[in-house]
């Protein structure tokens, strides 16, 4: 019986959730600093990204079998600058076919790293990736259809920070590992011996895989960091397969300066921010005002199994910050960050609708398997009545057109992602999005009504290298809640 079944079948689960999550207790560990590959100063050689098996101790005392990029678990933080072209050599040594997708980048379909750009085991893929967009936090992960969830879960995920002239000269903290930190948040399952596990059941396909233990940069939460007095910047990625995370600061409010696709027009204060899988937010913490502070993550954010079982609050500390005496970044909270006109609905000349469907019925489920969707024993999933099919193009978009994409669901909360663009959210589940989600985004979630985004595609994605749109619950994506479009 797996832990999930065990939890469900016994009262022990209630004790566990009430007394803190299984592997999440004890004294904070130091925040791991993910190694940075900084090419903002210039590029004189190809940039190797080597995908392979590894072992990693998350802090349970056991070495888990993992996958990593240039290391045992996770990939590097790559820092690049607008205007550069990044010559990657992506070598696949994981023992299985994969791809590597640049999530958030405005790049043509043939270098996007979607499911058509397979890298055979032992092979190398060498895309030249042009960085044209503004300062933003992006990431990369496998996108091999049917294998995305397990490959990403096991550790194939890295961060790609883009800087531009404005961000480099902005009066913001930017010393990596001192006042500027990248946080990769994930939920994991561990067995009694401390080994990371990933078990799929029909139920897991329904909700997506949700672990009971929070890890930050590959270390069991809570993690701790000492910082200088002044403003501290946290660039945060939700790299969970399926779990929504509700983030807040102990001292409240939380101050957000950037979303998926770049800076907000000015800092936004919120009581908490809801992060779907795949989303990124940057926040500033004022460590001149408090001697300590903590970033809190609530697992009950998006519903799911534990939330439905226990209802309320599963807040836990992700990161504690402790102030040291020395002065760090001396600037003050910025007043404005970027020019960002409100999105204009009337700019759109095309409207498309996407219905995300959890259960397509037995007939289509059989077809979906033949189309290489991976659903375990659960029924297939679909968008607009059709599970993903690699050789079917679902939508054809004209380059440069402004469009409205409206998304609805038949059940559950789903995070929707579109390749090759940043968009603006017009409405989210039928309501105005929170202020922190009104900037550039490539993720929008929907639970009821319509979520609508205003979007334009400026790069080519031909039939042999189309873009994807999909639910970013990775098990749903693998199970067919994905479609393909061309831009010409
Ligand atoms: Cu983050 Cu199509 O993926
Ligand atoms: Cu993407
Ligand atoms: Cu979904």
């Amino acid at each position: 019986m797996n832990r999930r079944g065990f939890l469900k079948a016994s009262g022990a689960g209630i004790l566990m959730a009430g007394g803190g999550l299984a592997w999440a207790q004890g004294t904070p560990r130091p925040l791991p600093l993910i190694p940075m590959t900084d090419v903002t100063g210039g590029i004189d050689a190809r940039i190797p990204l080597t995908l392979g098996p590894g072992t990693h101790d998350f802090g349970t005392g056991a070495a888990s079998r993992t996958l990593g990029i240039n290391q045992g678990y996770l990939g590097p933080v790559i820092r690049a600058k607008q205007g550069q072209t990044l010559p990657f050599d992506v070598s696949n040594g994981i023992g299985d076919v994969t791809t590597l997708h640049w999530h958030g980048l405005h790049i043509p379909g043939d270098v996007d790293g979607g499911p058509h750009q397979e890298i055979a085991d032992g092979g190398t893929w060498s895309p030249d990736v042009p960085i044209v967009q503004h300062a933003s936090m992006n990431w990369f992960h496998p996108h091999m259809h049917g294998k995305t969830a397990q490959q990403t879960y096991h550790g194939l995920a890295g961060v790609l920070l883009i800087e531009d002239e404005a961000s480099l000269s902005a009066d913001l903290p930017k010393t990596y590992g001192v006042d500027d930190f990248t946080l990769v948040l994930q939920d994991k399952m561990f067995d009694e011996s401390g080994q990371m596990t990933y078990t799929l059941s029909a139920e897991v396909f329904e909700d997506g895989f949700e672990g009971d233990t929070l890890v930050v940069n590959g270390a069991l939460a809570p993690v701790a960091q000492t910082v200088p007095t002044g403003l501290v910047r946290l660039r945060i990625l939700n790299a969970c397969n399926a779990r929504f995370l509700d983030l807040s600061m102990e001292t409240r409010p939380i101050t957000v300066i950037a979303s998926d696709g770049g800076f907000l027009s000015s800092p936004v204060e919120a009581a908490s921010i809801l992060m779907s899988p795949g989303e990124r937010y940057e926040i500033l913490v004022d460590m001149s005002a408090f001697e300590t502070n903590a970033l809190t993550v609530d697992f009950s954010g998006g519903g799911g199994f534990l939330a439905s079982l226990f209802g309320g609050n599963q807040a836990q500390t992700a990161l504690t910050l402790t102030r040291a005496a020395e002065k760090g970044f001396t600037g003050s909270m910025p007043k404005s960050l970027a020019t960002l006109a409100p999105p204009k609905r009337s700019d759109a000349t095309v409207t498309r609708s996407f219905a995300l469907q959890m259960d397509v019925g037995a007939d289509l489920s059989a077809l979906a398997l033949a189309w290489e969707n991976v659903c375990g024993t659960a029924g297939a999933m679909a968008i607009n009545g059709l599970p993903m099919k690699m050789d079917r193009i679902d939508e054809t978009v004209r380059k440069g057109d402004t469009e409205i994409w409206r998304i609805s669901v038949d059940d559950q909360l789903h995070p929707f992602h579109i390749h090759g663009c940043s968009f603006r959210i017009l409405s989210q589940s039928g309501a105005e999005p929170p202020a922190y989600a009104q900037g550039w985004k490539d993720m929008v979630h929907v639970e009821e009504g319509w979520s609508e985004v205003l979007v334009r595609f400026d790069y080519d994605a031909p039939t042999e290298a189309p873009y994807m749109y999909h639910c970013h619950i990775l098990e749903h994506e693998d199970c067919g809640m994905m479609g393909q479009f061309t831009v010409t």
Side-chain angles (χ1 to χ4, degrees), residues 73-155:
Y73 182 74
L74 295 177
V77 172
I78 298 167
R79 188 162 173 267
K81 200 178 150 188
Q82 184 184 37
Q84 290 182 315
T85 293
L86 307 182
F88 288 116
D89 279 342
V90 183
S91 316
N92 176 12
I94 68 167
D96 198 357
V97 58
T98 192
T99 83
L100 198 66
H101 165 59
W102 318 104
H103 178 136
L105 292 201
H106 304 184
I107 49 177
D110 61 353
V111 292
D112 188 49
H116 295 268
Q117 281 117 48
E118 287 184 12
I119 316 169
D121 183 37
T124 299
W125 179 54
S126 300
D128 291 315
V129 177
I131 303 298
V132 296
Q133 72 212 77
H134 286 288
S136 49
M137 179 183 188
N138 305 281
W139 67 301
F140 45 99
H141 61 77
H143 219 301
M144 183 65 212
H145 187 45
K147 298 175 191 271
T148 297
Q150 40 133 330
Q151 292 183 352
T152 305
Y153 181 83
H154 281 92

Side-chain angles (χ1 to χ4, degrees), residues 101 103 139 141-143 278 417 419 443 468 470 472 474 477 482:
H101 165 59
H103 178 136
W139 67 301
H141 61 77
H143 219 301
H417 170 56
H419 286 208
M443 299 290 322
M468 306 293 130
H470 58 90
H472 218 286
L474 300 181
E477 172 188 334
M482 177 154 73

Side-chain angles (χ1 to χ4, degrees), residues 6 16 23 123 125 183 191 194 229 231 238 247 296 324 472:
F6 174 75
M16 271 176 44
W23 285 95
W125 179 54
L183 305 180
D191 66 16
T229 301
L231 288 179
N238 178 347
L247 269 56
T296 300
H472 218 286

Side-chain angles (χ1 to χ4, degrees), residues 83-275:
Q84 290 182 315
T85 293
L86 307 182
F88 288 116
D89 279 342
V90 183
S91 316
N92 176 12
I94 68 167
D96 198 357
V97 58
T98 192
T99 83
L100 198 66
H101 165 59
W102 318 104
H103 178 136
L105 292 201
H106 304 184
I107 49 177
D110 61 353
V111 292
D112 188 49
H116 295 268
Q117 281 117 48
E118 287 184 12
I119 316 169
D121 183 37
T124 299
W125 179 54
S126 300
D128 291 315
V129 177
I131 303 298
V132 296
Q133 72 212 77
H134 286 288
S136 49
M137 179 183 188
N138 305 281
W139 67 301
F140 45 99
H141 61 77
H143 219 301
M144 183 65 212
H145 187 45
K147 298 175 191 271
T148 297
Q150 40 133 330
Q151 292 183 352
T152 305
Y153 181 83
H154 281 92
L156 299 182
V159 168
L160 204 173
L161 303 178
I162 298 176
E163 303 287 354
D164 59 18
E165 291 299 338
S167 75
L168 289 173
S169 60
D171 203 14
L172 286 170
K174 45 177 94 86
T175 311
Y176 187 63
V178 175
D179 54 22
D180 180 356
F181 298 91
T182 294
L183 305 180
V184 178
L185 305 182
Q186 296 173 302
D187 59 337
K188 297 291 169 194
M189 233 17 150
F190 297 96
D191 66 16
E192 287 67 15
S193 70
Q195 300 273 346
M196 182 177 80
T197 60
Y198 181 73
T199 324
L200 291 170
S201 63
E203 184 192 24
V204 171
F205 272 103
E206 283 286 301
D207 290 349
F209 185 90
E210 294 185 330
D212 61 5
T213 301
L214 177 68
V215 304
V216 184
N217 295 355
L220 294 187
V223 291
Q225 177 67 42
T226 302
V227 293
T229 301
L231 288 179
V232 170
R233 181 179 189 172
L234 305 177
R235 314 194 199 213
I236 307 172
L237 162 68
N238 178 347
C240 295
N241 276 26
R243 197 183 271 289
F244 283 69
L245 303 172
D246 206 41
L247 269 56
S248 53
M249 291 307 300
E250 187 181 59
T251 57
R252 292 184 185 251
I254 189 166
T255 306
V256 185
I257 58 167
S259 57
D260 305 336
F263 287 112
L264 302 175
S265 58
S266 57
V268 166
E269 292 192 343
S272 64
I273 56 177
L274 181 62
M275 285 189 84

Side-chain angles (χ1 to χ4, degrees), residues 351-406:
T351 299
R352 296 173 206 268
S353 300
F354 301 90
L356 311 188
Q357 293 148 335
M358 293 286 289
D359 188 356
V360 297
D363 291 356
L364 259 183
S365 282
L367 254 188
L369 285 185
W371 297 345
E372 284 163 277
N373 294 290
V374 174
C375 306
T377 53
M381 298 183 186
I383 298 179
N384 292 343
L386 289 173
M388 168 71 179
K389 187 166 188 281
M390 286 288 286
D391 58 4
R392 183 191 70 234
I393 299 296
D394 299 280
E395 305 285 335
T396 56
V397 171
R398 209 167 67 188
K399 187 157 72 175
D401 280 356
T402 299
E403 306 200 346
I404 291 175
W405 284 29
R406 47 208 305 269

